[in-house]
Amino acid sequence: EQRIGSFNEQGLANTAWAFATLGTPAPQFFDAIARECGQLVSSFTPQHLAKTAWAFETLGIPAPPIFEVIAHETADSNRRSSPTPRGRLQRSAS
C-alpha cells in the first residue's frame, strides 16, 4: 500500500486489472489505489480508465471518485467532439 504512491497511471491500472483478473479482492489495497487514482485519473488514457473501472466493478469495490471522473471526462469529450454524430449524418445525407 505504501508503494502505490510511486505508481504511474499505467502501473495503477495494470495492478488493479491483475488483482481483478485473479479474483483477488484486497479492499485496503484498492482503497489506496482509489485514493491515488483520484490524484492522477485526469491524466489516465481511456485504456487506463477502462481497466481500472473494470477492476473495481469486477470485484464489487465501490470507487465513486473514479466513476465520477470517467463520467466527467466522457461528457467533456462528447462536448469537444465536433461535429456531433447527428451533424455528420445530416451532412452525409446531403
Side-chain angles (χ1 to χ4, degrees), residues 37-59:
C37 284
Q39 297 172 16
L40 299 174
V41 76
S42 63
S43 61
F44 275 35
T45 66
Q47 181 182 9
H48 296 147
L49 281 174
K51 276 183 160 181
T52 305
W54 176 85
F56 276 85
E57 186 63 27
T58 297
L59 294 173

Side-chain angles (χ1 to χ4, degrees), residues 7-92:
F7 284 26
N8 64 14
E9 298 85 354
Q10 182 178 4
L12 289 169
N14 288 346
T15 302
W17 175 86
F19 272 77
T21 299
L22 294 172
T24 307
Q28 290 178 330
F29 184 71
F30 273 86
D31 286 348
I33 288 177
R35 281 192 305 275
E36 196 63 29
C37 284
Q39 297 172 16
L40 299 174
V41 76
S42 63
S43 61
F44 275 35
T45 66
Q47 181 182 9
H48 296 147
L49 281 174
K51 276 183 160 181
T52 305
W54 176 85
F56 276 85
E57 186 63 27
T58 297
L59 294 173
I61 299 171
I66 293 169
F67 291 104
E68 286 171 13
V69 169
I70 290 171
H72 184 265
E73 292 293 318
T74 301
D76 281 352
S77 176
N78 288 339
R79 279 192 291 274
R80 288 190 304 262
S81 294
S82 181
T84 64
R86 184 176 182 183
R88 283 186 291 232
L89 284 175
Q90 289 172 340
R91 274 202 314 254
S92 66

